[in-house]
PDB file of all heavy atoms in Angstrom:
ATOM      1  N   ALA H 370      24.696  -4.111  25.837  1.00  0.00           N
ATOM      2  CA  ALA H 370      26.106  -3.955  26.203  1.00  0.00           C
ATOM      3  C   ALA H 370      26.407  -4.681  27.509  1.00  0.00           C
ATOM      4  O   ALA H 370      27.447  -5.347  27.653  1.00  0.00           O
ATOM      5  CB  ALA H 370      26.451  -2.471  26.319  1.00  0.00           C
ATOM      6  N   LEU H 371      25.507  -4.564  28.480  1.00  0.00           N
ATOM      7  CA  LEU H 371      25.709  -5.263  29.754  1.00  0.00           C
ATOM      8  C   LEU H 371      25.768  -6.775  29.537  1.00  0.00           C
ATOM      9  O   LEU H 371      26.603  -7.470  30.134  1.00  0.00           O
ATOM     10  CB  LEU H 371      24.572  -4.943  30.728  1.00  0.00           C
ATOM     11  CG  LEU H 371      24.547  -3.572  31.393  1.00  0.00           C
ATOM     12  CD1 LEU H 371      23.353  -3.482  32.334  1.00  0.00           C
ATOM     13  CD2 LEU H 371      25.829  -3.290  32.165  1.00  0.00           C
ATOM     14  N   GLU H 372      24.878  -7.268  28.701  1.00  0.00           N
ATOM     15  CA  GLU H 372      24.864  -8.716  28.469  1.00  0.00           C
ATOM     16  C   GLU H 372      26.158  -9.187  27.825  1.00  0.00           C
ATOM     17  O   GLU H 372      26.706 -10.225  28.193  1.00  0.00           O
ATOM     18  CB  GLU H 372      23.665  -9.094  27.600  1.00  0.00           C
ATOM     19  CG  GLU H 372      22.348  -9.006  28.343  1.00  0.00           C
ATOM     20  CD  GLU H 372      21.172  -9.442  27.495  1.00  0.00           C
ATOM     21  OE1 GLU H 372      21.359  -9.628  26.286  1.00  0.00           O
ATOM     22  OE2 GLU H 372      20.070  -9.586  28.053  1.00  0.00           O
ATOM     23  N   MET H 373      26.632  -8.414  26.840  1.00  0.00           N
ATOM     24  CA  MET H 373      27.880  -8.821  26.187  1.00  0.00           C
ATOM     25  C   MET H 373      29.040  -8.790  27.179  1.00  0.00           C
ATOM     26  O   MET H 373      29.914  -9.657  27.154  1.00  0.00           O
ATOM     27  CB  MET H 373      28.169  -7.893  25.009  1.00  0.00           C
ATOM     28  CG  MET H 373      27.231  -8.090  23.824  1.00  0.00           C
ATOM     29  SD  MET H 373      27.722  -7.023  22.465  1.00  0.00           S
ATOM     30  CE  MET H 373      26.483  -7.422  21.247  1.00  0.00           C
ATOM     31  N   ARG H 374      29.015  -7.794  28.029  1.00  0.00           N
ATOM     32  CA  ARG H 374      30.136  -7.648  28.962  1.00  0.00           C
ATOM     33  C   ARG H 374      30.045  -8.649  30.126  1.00  0.00           C
ATOM     34  O   ARG H 374      31.023  -9.321  30.443  1.00  0.00           O
ATOM     35  CB  ARG H 374      30.159  -6.214  29.502  1.00  0.00           C
ATOM     36  CG  ARG H 374      31.208  -5.956  30.574  1.00  0.00           C
ATOM     37  CD  ARG H 374      32.610  -5.979  30.024  1.00  0.00           C
ATOM     38  NE  ARG H 374      33.609  -5.939  31.084  1.00  0.00           N
ATOM     39  CZ  ARG H 374      34.759  -6.571  31.051  1.00  0.00           C
ATOM     40  NH1 ARG H 374      35.094  -7.305  30.002  1.00  0.00           N
ATOM     41  NH2 ARG H 374      35.611  -6.492  32.042  1.00  0.00           N
ATOM     42  N   TYR H 375      28.879  -8.734  30.751  1.00  0.00           N
ATOM     43  CA  TYR H 375      28.809  -9.471  32.010  1.00  0.00           C
ATOM     44  C   TYR H 375      28.157 -10.844  31.908  1.00  0.00           C
ATOM     45  O   TYR H 375      28.217 -11.614  32.847  1.00  0.00           O
ATOM     46  CB  TYR H 375      28.081  -8.628  33.069  1.00  0.00           C
ATOM     47  CG  TYR H 375      28.799  -7.330  33.319  1.00  0.00           C
ATOM     48  CD1 TYR H 375      28.227  -6.123  32.974  1.00  0.00           C
ATOM     49  CD2 TYR H 375      30.082  -7.324  33.855  1.00  0.00           C
ATOM     50  CE1 TYR H 375      28.893  -4.933  33.172  1.00  0.00           C
ATOM     51  CE2 TYR H 375      30.767  -6.147  34.046  1.00  0.00           C
ATOM     52  CZ  TYR H 375      30.175  -4.953  33.705  1.00  0.00           C
ATOM     53  OH  TYR H 375      30.849  -3.783  33.893  1.00  0.00           O
ATOM     54  N   LYS H 376      27.536 -11.120  30.799  1.00  0.00           N
ATOM     55  CA  LYS H 376      27.021 -12.478  30.615  1.00  0.00           C
ATOM     56  C   LYS H 376      27.938 -13.267  29.689  1.00  0.00           C
ATOM     57  O   LYS H 376      28.216 -14.435  29.920  1.00  0.00           O
ATOM     58  CB  LYS H 376      25.612 -12.434  30.036  1.00  0.00           C
ATOM     59  CG  LYS H 376      24.867 -13.756  30.170  1.00  0.00           C
ATOM     60  CD  LYS H 376      23.449 -13.620  29.697  1.00  0.00           C
ATOM     61  CE  LYS H 376      23.372 -13.877  28.211  1.00  0.00           C
ATOM     62  NZ  LYS H 376      22.004 -13.734  27.682  1.00  0.00           N
ATOM     63  N   GLU H 377      28.411 -12.575  28.652  1.00  0.00           N
ATOM     64  CA  GLU H 377      29.252 -13.267  27.674  1.00  0.00           C
ATOM     65  C   GLU H 377      30.732 -13.042  27.935  1.00  0.00           C
ATOM     66  O   GLU H 377      31.576 -13.598  27.231  1.00  0.00           O
ATOM     67  CB  GLU H 377      28.875 -12.799  26.266  1.00  0.00           C
ATOM     68  CG  GLU H 377      27.425 -13.099  25.921  1.00  0.00           C
ATOM     69  CD  GLU H 377      27.001 -12.434  24.618  1.00  0.00           C
ATOM     70  OE1 GLU H 377      27.877 -11.979  23.861  1.00  0.00           O
ATOM     71  OE2 GLU H 377      25.785 -12.349  24.384  1.00  0.00           O
ATOM     72  N   ASN H 378      31.052 -12.213  28.905  1.00  0.00           N
ATOM     73  CA  ASN H 378      32.438 -12.000  29.318  1.00  0.00           C
ATOM     74  C   ASN H 378      33.298 -11.438  28.172  1.00  0.00           C
ATOM     75  O   ASN H 378      34.463 -11.773  28.034  1.00  0.00           O
ATOM     76  CB  ASN H 378      33.040 -13.313  29.838  1.00  0.00           C
ATOM     77  CG  ASN H 378      34.292 -13.094  30.673  1.00  0.00           C
ATOM     78  OD1 ASN H 378      34.384 -12.107  31.400  1.00  0.00           O
ATOM     79  ND2 ASN H 378      35.254 -13.998  30.567  1.00  0.00           N
ATOM     80  N   ARG H 379      32.703 -10.572  27.369  1.00  0.00           N
ATOM     81  CA  ARG H 379      33.429 -10.044  26.209  1.00  0.00           C
ATOM     82  C   ARG H 379      34.132  -8.734  26.552  1.00  0.00           C
ATOM     83  O   ARG H 379      33.662  -7.944  27.365  1.00  0.00           O
ATOM     84  CB  ARG H 379      32.456  -9.834  25.040  1.00  0.00           C
ATOM     85  CG  ARG H 379      31.924 -11.152  24.522  1.00  0.00           C
ATOM     86  CD  ARG H 379      30.765 -10.982  23.590  1.00  0.00           C
ATOM     87  NE  ARG H 379      31.138 -10.330  22.341  1.00  0.00           N
ATOM     88  CZ  ARG H 379      30.287 -10.153  21.327  1.00  0.00           C
ATOM     89  NH1 ARG H 379      29.046 -10.576  21.429  1.00  0.00           N
ATOM     90  NH2 ARG H 379      30.670  -9.557  20.226  1.00  0.00           N
ATOM     91  N   ALA H 380      35.256  -8.512  25.896  1.00  0.00           N
ATOM     92  CA  ALA H 380      36.023  -7.290  26.119  1.00  0.00           C
ATOM     93  C   ALA H 380      35.315  -6.099  25.472  1.00  0.00           C
ATOM     94  O   ALA H 380      34.521  -6.256  24.536  1.00  0.00           O
ATOM     95  CB  ALA H 380      37.420  -7.443  25.524  1.00  0.00           C
ATOM     96  N   VAL H 381      35.652  -4.919  25.958  1.00  0.00           N
ATOM     97  CA  VAL H 381      35.007  -3.701  25.458  1.00  0.00           C
ATOM     98  C   VAL H 381      35.200  -3.563  23.949  1.00  0.00           C
ATOM     99  O   VAL H 381      34.265  -3.244  23.205  1.00  0.00           O
ATOM    100  CB  VAL H 381      35.562  -2.474  26.199  1.00  0.00           C
ATOM    101  CG1 VAL H 381      35.152  -1.184  25.497  1.00  0.00           C
ATOM    102  CG2 VAL H 381      35.055  -2.464  27.636  1.00  0.00           C
ATOM    103  N   LYS H 382      36.405  -3.810  23.474  1.00  0.00           N
ATOM    104  CA  LYS H 382      36.648  -3.618  22.041  1.00  0.00           C
ATOM    105  C   LYS H 382      35.874  -4.639  21.211  1.00  0.00           C
ATOM    106  O   LYS H 382      35.461  -4.354  20.085  1.00  0.00           O
ATOM    107  CB  LYS H 382      38.140  -3.694  21.729  1.00  0.00           C
ATOM    108  CG  LYS H 382      38.792  -5.039  22.004  1.00  0.00           C
ATOM    109  CD  LYS H 382      40.258  -4.986  21.638  1.00  0.00           C
ATOM    110  CE  LYS H 382      40.926  -6.350  21.871  1.00  0.00           C
ATOM    111  NZ  LYS H 382      42.371  -6.308  21.588  1.00  0.00           N
ATOM    112  N   ASP H 383      35.676  -5.813  21.780  1.00  0.00           N
ATOM    113  CA  ASP H 383      34.904  -6.837  21.097  1.00  0.00           C
ATOM    114  C   ASP H 383      33.430  -6.432  21.019  1.00  0.00           C
ATOM    115  O   ASP H 383      32.761  -6.605  19.998  1.00  0.00           O
ATOM    116  CB  ASP H 383      35.071  -8.159  21.855  1.00  0.00           C
ATOM    117  CG  ASP H 383      34.470  -9.327  21.099  1.00  0.00           C
ATOM    118  OD1 ASP H 383      34.338  -9.214  19.867  1.00  0.00           O
ATOM    119  OD2 ASP H 383      34.138 -10.335  21.740  1.00  0.00           O
ATOM    120  N   ILE H 384      32.940  -5.879  22.108  1.00  0.00           N
ATOM    121  CA  ILE H 384      31.562  -5.390  22.125  1.00  0.00           C
ATOM    122  C   ILE H 384      31.406  -4.263  21.105  1.00  0.00           C
ATOM    123  O   ILE H 384      30.421  -4.190  20.363  1.00  0.00           O
ATOM    124  CB  ILE H 384      31.177  -4.889  23.538  1.00  0.00           C
ATOM    125  CG1 ILE H 384      31.280  -6.036  24.548  1.00  0.00           C
ATOM    126  CG2 ILE H 384      29.770  -4.294  23.542  1.00  0.00           C
ATOM    127  CD1 ILE H 384      31.161  -5.592  25.997  1.00  0.00           C
ATOM    128  N   ALA H 385      32.394  -3.393  21.063  1.00  0.00           N
ATOM    129  CA  ALA H 385      32.344  -2.265  20.125  1.00  0.00           C
ATOM    130  C   ALA H 385      32.259  -2.758  18.686  1.00  0.00           C
ATOM    131  O   ALA H 385      31.508  -2.207  17.868  1.00  0.00           O
ATOM    132  CB  ALA H 385      33.566  -1.375  20.315  1.00  0.00           C
ATOM    133  N   ALA H 386      33.015  -3.796  18.390  1.00  0.00           N
ATOM    134  CA  ALA H 386      32.966  -4.338  17.031  1.00  0.00           C
ATOM    135  C   ALA H 386      31.583  -4.883  16.715  1.00  0.00           C
ATOM    136  O   ALA H 386      31.053  -4.681  15.620  1.00  0.00           O
ATOM    137  CB  ALA H 386      34.025  -5.426  16.872  1.00  0.00           C
ATOM    138  N   SER H 387      30.996  -5.570  17.677  1.00  0.00           N
ATOM    139  CA  SER H 387      29.663  -6.131  17.454  1.00  0.00           C
ATOM    140  C   SER H 387      28.612  -5.046  17.298  1.00  0.00           C
ATOM    141  O   SER H 387      27.660  -5.195  16.531  1.00  0.00           O
ATOM    142  CB  SER H 387      29.268  -7.040  18.623  1.00  0.00           C
ATOM    143  OG  SER H 387      30.055  -8.193  18.627  1.00  0.00           O
ATOM    144  N   MET H 388      28.764  -3.975  18.045  1.00  0.00           N
ATOM    145  CA  MET H 388      27.747  -2.922  18.011  1.00  0.00           C
ATOM    146  C   MET H 388      28.122  -1.804  17.048  1.00  0.00           C
ATOM    147  O   MET H 388      27.483  -0.749  17.019  1.00  0.00           O
ATOM    148  CB  MET H 388      27.524  -2.383  19.433  1.00  0.00           C
ATOM    149  CG  MET H 388      26.971  -3.445  20.372  1.00  0.00           C
ATOM    150  SD  MET H 388      26.675  -2.901  22.077  1.00  0.00           S
ATOM    151  CE  MET H 388      25.222  -1.863  21.858  1.00  0.00           C
ATOM    152  N   LYS H 389      29.180  -2.063  16.273  1.00  0.00           N
ATOM    153  CA  LYS H 389      29.603  -1.146  15.217  1.00  0.00           C
ATOM    154  C   LYS H 389      29.811   0.279  15.740  1.00  0.00           C
ATOM    155  O   LYS H 389      29.254   1.247  15.219  1.00  0.00           O
ATOM    156  CB  LYS H 389      28.585  -1.161  14.066  1.00  0.00           C
ATOM    157  CG  LYS H 389      28.433  -2.526  13.419  1.00  0.00           C
ATOM    158  CD  LYS H 389      27.574  -2.446  12.201  1.00  0.00           C
ATOM    159  CE  LYS H 389      27.281  -3.792  11.563  1.00  0.00           C
ATOM    160  NZ  LYS H 389      28.318  -4.790  11.610  1.00  0.00           N
ATOM    161  N   THR H 390      30.584   0.376  16.782  1.00  0.00           N
ATOM    162  CA  THR H 390      30.931   1.680  17.320  1.00  0.00           C
ATOM    163  C   THR H 390      32.326   1.591  17.922  1.00  0.00           C
ATOM    164  O   THR H 390      33.004   0.570  17.800  1.00  0.00           O
ATOM    165  CB  THR H 390      29.887   2.142  18.358  1.00  0.00           C
ATOM    166  OG1 THR H 390      30.194   3.475  18.757  1.00  0.00           O
ATOM    167  CG2 THR H 390      29.873   1.227  19.578  1.00  0.00           C
ATOM    168  N   SER H 391      32.768   2.656  18.557  1.00  0.00           N
ATOM    169  CA  SER H 391      34.132   2.669  19.075  1.00  0.00           C
ATOM    170  C   SER H 391      34.197   2.067  20.477  1.00  0.00           C
ATOM    171  O   SER H 391      33.210   2.108  21.223  1.00  0.00           O
ATOM    172  CB  SER H 391      34.651   4.103  19.121  1.00  0.00           C
ATOM    173  OG  SER H 391      33.933   4.819  20.099  1.00  0.00           O
ATOM    174  N   PRO H 392      35.354   1.527  20.872  1.00  0.00           N
ATOM    175  CA  PRO H 392      35.493   1.038  22.242  1.00  0.00           C
ATOM    176  C   PRO H 392      35.212   2.124  23.274  1.00  0.00           C
ATOM    177  O   PRO H 392      34.624   1.854  24.323  1.00  0.00           O
ATOM    178  CB  PRO H 392      36.957   0.582  22.292  1.00  0.00           C
ATOM    179  CG  PRO H 392      37.285   0.219  20.880  1.00  0.00           C
ATOM    180  CD  PRO H 392      36.527   1.212  20.040  1.00  0.00           C
ATOM    181  N   HIS H 393      35.619   3.351  22.948  1.00  0.00           N
ATOM    182  CA  HIS H 393      35.366   4.440  23.898  1.00  0.00           C
ATOM    183  C   HIS H 393      33.861   4.619  24.108  1.00  0.00           C
ATOM    184  O   HIS H 393      33.390   4.804  25.239  1.00  0.00           O
ATOM    185  CB  HIS H 393      35.993   5.739  23.380  1.00  0.00           C
ATOM    186  CG  HIS H 393      35.684   6.919  24.250  1.00  0.00           C
ATOM    187  ND1 HIS H 393      36.233   7.085  25.506  1.00  0.00           N
ATOM    188  CD2 HIS H 393      34.858   7.984  24.052  1.00  0.00           C
ATOM    189  CE1 HIS H 393      35.774   8.198  26.041  1.00  0.00           C
ATOM    190  NE2 HIS H 393      34.937   8.765  25.176  1.00  0.00           N
ATOM    191  N   ALA H 394      33.117   4.576  23.008  1.00  0.00           N
ATOM    192  CA  ALA H 394      31.664   4.757  23.120  1.00  0.00           C
ATOM    193  C   ALA H 394      31.041   3.648  23.967  1.00  0.00           C
ATOM    194  O   ALA H 394      30.139   3.900  24.768  1.00  0.00           O
ATOM    195  CB  ALA H 394      31.026   4.778  21.730  1.00  0.00           C
ATOM    196  N   ILE H 395      31.528   2.424  23.793  1.00  0.00           N
ATOM    197  CA  ILE H 395      30.991   1.316  24.590  1.00  0.00           C
ATOM    198  C   ILE H 395      31.366   1.475  26.056  1.00  0.00           C
ATOM    199  O   ILE H 395      30.547   1.239  26.958  1.00  0.00           O
ATOM    200  CB  ILE H 395      31.518  -0.039  24.050  1.00  0.00           C
ATOM    201  CG1 ILE H 395      30.937  -0.297  22.670  1.00  0.00           C
ATOM    202  CG2 ILE H 395      31.177  -1.177  25.005  1.00  0.00           C
ATOM    203  CD1 ILE H 395      29.415  -0.363  22.619  1.00  0.00           C
ATOM    204  N   SER H 396      32.599   1.882  26.311  1.00  0.00           N
ATOM    205  CA  SER H 396      33.013   2.072  27.699  1.00  0.00           C
ATOM    206  C   SER H 396      32.153   3.141  28.363  1.00  0.00           C
ATOM    207  O   SER H 396      31.712   2.979  29.508  1.00  0.00           O
ATOM    208  CB  SER H 396      34.494   2.471  27.746  1.00  0.00           C
ATOM    209  OG  SER H 396      34.899   2.618  29.086  1.00  0.00           O
ATOM    210  N   VAL H 397      31.922   4.232  27.643  1.00  0.00           N
ATOM    211  CA  VAL H 397      31.077   5.298  28.194  1.00  0.00           C
ATOM    212  C   VAL H 397      29.656   4.791  28.412  1.00  0.00           C
ATOM    213  O   VAL H 397      29.033   5.066  29.443  1.00  0.00           O
ATOM    214  CB  VAL H 397      31.077   6.520  27.243  1.00  0.00           C
ATOM    215  CG1 VAL H 397      30.022   7.534  27.673  1.00  0.00           C
ATOM    216  CG2 VAL H 397      32.456   7.172  27.216  1.00  0.00           C
TER     217      VAL H 397
END
Side-chain angles (χ1 to χ4, degrees):
Chain H
L371 285 181
E372 287 183 350
M373 289 183 181
R374 175 70 189 144
Y375 300 113
K376 196 175 88 181
E377 299 171 14
N378 198 35
R379 293 168 67 175
V381 167
K382 64 179 182 183
D383 189 23
I384 299 170
S387 291
M388 296 180 73
K389 299 187 185 325
T390 186
S391 68
H393 176 71
I395 293 300
S396 182
V397 170

